[in-house]
Amino acid sequence: MVIDLNSDLGEGFGAWFSGDDEALLNVVTSANVACGFHAGDPSVLRRVTEQATERGVVIGAQVGYRDLAGFGRRFIDMDPHELVNDVIYQIAALDGFARIAGSKVRYVKPHGALYNAVVTHEEQAAAVVEAVRRYDPGLPLLGLPESELLRQAEDAGLSTVPESFADRAYGPDGKLVSRREPGAVLHEPDEVVKRSVRMATDGTVTAIDETVLTVRPRSLCVHGDTTGAVELARRVREALAEAGVEVRPFA
């Protein structure tokens, strides 16, 4: 059994910091790095890509809406052509800093509201797929299983990587519970660790209504901006190893 462990990093901006990127880079195998639209300025991008490269952590572009004020968590009904260009712009910006550090962007993952939108929104999913195809068709797309994004990516001949969330609640439809709803983010460490091992070994997770969902992830996401994120990520990785799961990057 093999699984990747990813986390959202580089989500500071200017004097504002979010999470402990350096500590998380000692735990995770893949870093979803903000590309400047929902968070991350040039100095942040350079610092995180250098630290990730030093530790052998794979760098992924976490692309989102141009929404610094809302942290990329507000849906924007964008023209698909403009969204294609915005996604290309973000991948290229991060890739530039990654290459200076001696690495490169190796996958793409949407962020926040864009991540949720492309689960069902055909036009926006197509725009993200087109952006990746035009920039580098060898880049895998990381996303929710059975989503419109991964379906279209497969149809376009792109590699896809289904992921599950260690610390997010699921609805019975397999989608993430909105952060506006109570219980959307899980904070009990023992619960997060237990469900992470179950998703990696059994390929299932229990939704908020007790429905058992089949997920079979190739990557697990532990959010880096929640309280105790570093220690939680360490516990998840240790528990996976104890369960006989090898933690290594997919890209």
Side-chain angles (χ1 to χ4, degrees), residues 165-169 184-187 192 195-196 199 221-224 226 232:
F165 288 80
D167 50 5
R168 288 292 307 276
V185 180
L186 308 179
H187 297 284
V192 173
R195 76 201 299 261
S196 296
M199 286 188 284
C221 179
V222 179
H223 283 96
T226 54
L232 182 59

Side-chain angles (χ1 to χ4, degrees), residues 10-156:
E11 293 187 320
F13 195 89
W16 182 74
F17 294 90
S18 176
D20 190 340
D21 292 342
E22 192 165 7
L24 277 167
L25 285 168
N26 291 321
V27 182
V28 300
T29 50
S30 296
N32 318 314
V33 183
C35 301
F37 274 27
H38 78 277
D41 60 35
S43 295
V44 169
L45 268 62
R46 183 166 187 178
R47 183 181 69 247
V48 175
T49 52
E50 287 176 347
Q51 292 173 348
T53 302
E54 289 169 359
R55 291 162 176 76
V57 175
V58 169
I59 297 168
Q62 187 162 45
V63 299
Y65 294 125
R66 195 190 300 257
D67 180 28
L68 280 174
F71 199 61
R73 289 179 176 163
R74 301 180 292 192
F75 172 74
I76 299 177
D77 190 13
M78 292 188 66
D79 175 270
H81 180 71
E82 293 181 0
L83 184 56
V84 170
N85 293 337
D86 276 7
V87 172
I88 291 173
Y89 184 99
Q90 291 175 81
I91 299 171
L94 182 65
D95 197 33
F97 285 110
R99 288 176 183 274
I100 288 172
S103 184
K104 64 179 181 178
V105 167
R106 297 187 182 275
Y107 67 93
V108 175
K109 174 182 175 178
H111 164 80
L114 181 59
Y115 187 98
N116 292 328
V118 296
V119 171
T120 56
H121 198 299
E122 293 183 6
E123 286 189 339
Q124 294 206 351
V128 174
V129 169
E130 178 67 4
V132 173
R133 188 187 68 80
R134 285 184 174 273
Y135 186 82
D136 182 352
L139 292 175
L141 265 166
L142 181 62
L144 206 65
E146 308 299 325
S147 63
E148 184 68 22
L149 176 71
L150 296 196
R151 185 191 68 76
Q152 290 198 34
E154 290 172 356
D155 289 346

Side-chain angles (χ1 to χ4, degrees), residues 176-208:
L176 299 178
V177 174
S178 170
R179 285 180 177 268
R180 295 189 178 91
E181 301 297 326
V185 180
L186 308 179
H187 297 284
E188 173 52 49
D190 290 342
E191 179 185 3
V192 173
V193 170
K194 183 178 179 180
R195 76 201 299 261
S196 296
V197 172
R198 179 182 171 189
M199 286 188 284
T201 59
D202 186 51
T204 61
V205 66
T206 302
I208 54 173

